[in-house]
Amino acid sequence: DYVRQQVQEYGGERELIRRYFPLKSISDRELTLDDVKEYLARMEKVRAILQLKTKVSPVFATPKKIKKFYDAHKGEWMLPATVKFRTIQIDYLLKGNSYVPPNYREFAGPMSARDYAKKLLERITDGEDFATLAKSESNGQSYKDGGLHKTANDEEWFKKEDLIEPLAEFLFDENRKPGDVSPIIDGPKNPSGEVSYFVLKLEESRPERALSYKEAQIFIRDNMIRKEENRRKRALIEDLYKKAYIYPKEYQTPWTES
């Protein structure tokens, strides 16, 4: 039940009621969760009506309009540089931590964990296979794939802004080549002193490039449709607002506990 979940999230029924009814009630009746349910049902109907009245057909974004927009904004339709990489992650965690990563081992302190990562890097430098070591040693969730870094949706290519700065700095260096292995990279420390150490291997890289018209047209079409829907929605809401009855100011004071 959605309302009950929100009661827990907001810390009680009164807090949830305040969330949806921040102004004083103009009657003496005490508001309840039934009022919240009725309000949510009413808002769902409002959203459905807004969607129906402001929906734009894809026909609105004609091929001629899309091509004209593309030609006028050619330099703006860019695919960012991306990389595919593997990682070996060694974690230093405090004793008693409830999270137990894969291939977990305890260390006396953060420097012990860093020294362990350094020994793994030396083994890679001596010729051991990076992916094989990642499977048996890495604490990261990508260990099963030989350290190949992936998103939750199994996407393997990452933009610079997708990564924490120390990792991005190595992977997106202009002199970086596929097959390059990083030195030990220190991850950010959390307030308790826990930290992760990384060894990276760049697998592939793709430079930034301009999107062709064929590649860009679906993004342009969706963008044009979304802008027109938002314009219609604003116009509809403004029109409804002009016709709406607004409560007198004395009833628009914030809710206070009596």
Side-chain angles (χ1 to χ4, degrees):
D1 180 67
Y2 177 72
V3 173
R4 286 295 170 188
Q5 287 178 352
Q6 288 217 311
V7 168
Q8 292 183 348
E9 184 177 331
Y10 282 94
E13 293 184 8
R14 296 286 291 175
E15 285 70 20
L16 179 63
I17 291 169
R18 287 182 187 178
R19 161 69 176 77
Y20 286 106
F21 302 101
L23 303 181
K24 285 183 177 180
S25 171
I26 61 173
S27 74
D28 294 329
R29 184 174 66 82
E30 184 74 11
L31 294 169
T32 67
L33 286 186
D34 287 335
D35 294 291
V36 173
K37 292 177 182 178
E38 183 182 341
Y39 170 81
L40 290 173
R42 189 164 62 248
M43 291 307 298
E44 189 61 38
K45 290 179 182 178
V46 169
R47 279 191 290 271
I49 292 170
L50 279 174
Q51 187 174 14
L52 181 65
K53 288 184 174 291
T54 59
K55 187 170 180 60
V56 178
S57 167
V59 175
F60 165 80
T62 63
K64 186 175 180 180
K65 287 182 179 178
I66 294 172
K67 183 65 166 65
K68 184 178 179 181
F69 189 91
Y70 174 79
D71 290 339
H73 300 81
K74 266 188 178 178
E76 299 175 18
W77 294 97
M78 303 292 293
L79 276 180
T82 53
V83 294
K84 185 189 292 187
F85 67 102
R86 296 182 188 273
T87 177
I88 293 176
Q89 175 179 328
I90 301 300
D91 295 334
Y92 166 67
L93 302 176
L94 297 178
K95 288 184 179 180
N97 192 304
S98 58
Y99 171 65
V100 180
N103 299 321
Y104 181 65
R105 61 192 66 77
E106 288 188 358
F107 296 102
M111 291 312 297
S112 296
R114 198 180 196 283
D115 288 342
Y116 191 86
K118 188 176 180 181
K119 288 176 182 176
L120 295 178
L121 176 58
E122 291 170 354
R123 290 167 64 182
I124 293 167
T125 304
D126 289 340
E128 286 197 49
D129 182 61
F130 192 104
T132 302
L133 267 182
K135 283 183 179 179
S136 62
E137 300 290 343
S138 180
N139 299 147
Q141 294 303 316
S142 62
Y143 81 100
K144 289 182 181 178
D145 298 304
L148 186 62
H149 212 64
K150 296 182 181 181
T151 68
N153 298 322
D154 283 338
E155 174 58 50
E156 298 177 354
W157 291 94
F158 291 82
K159 303 187 294 293
K160 190 171 185 178
E161 56 265 32
D162 294 333
L163 306 172
I164 62 174
E165 187 175 345
L167 275 60
E169 185 177 350
F170 171 80
L171 293 167
F172 286 90
D173 186 292
E174 61 181 10
N175 298 316
R176 194 66 55 223
K177 300 184 296 295
D180 284 356
V181 175
S182 75
I184 305 300
I185 297 176
D186 298 4
K189 280 188 179 181
N190 68 22
S192 66
E194 295 181 335
V195 63
S196 295
Y197 299 98
F198 301 92
V199 182
L200 308 179
K201 180 184 178 184
L202 178 63
E203 291 289 311
E204 298 179 58
S205 61
R206 292 174 177 170
E208 180 185 58
R209 66 178 179 84
L211 281 171
S212 67
Y213 171 67
K214 185 177 180 181
E215 292 171 318
Q217 58 183 323
I218 187 169
F219 299 110
I220 297 172
R221 184 200 68 187
D222 291 347
N223 186 54
M224 292 174 76
I225 290 172
R226 185 167 56 252
K227 282 187 175 180
E228 177 62 13
E229 286 179 343
N230 288 337
R231 186 195 67 77
R232 292 184 185 186
K233 189 178 292 184
R234 285 194 301 270
L236 177 61
I237 291 174
E238 286 174 8
D239 184 58
L240 292 173
Y241 184 80
K242 289 175 184 177
K243 298 174 182 176
Y245 173 76
I246 307 301
Y247 290 136
K249 286 186 178 180
E250 58 264 32
Y251 296 120
Q252 297 182 25
T253 54
W255 178 311
T256 55
E257 192 75 60
S258 56

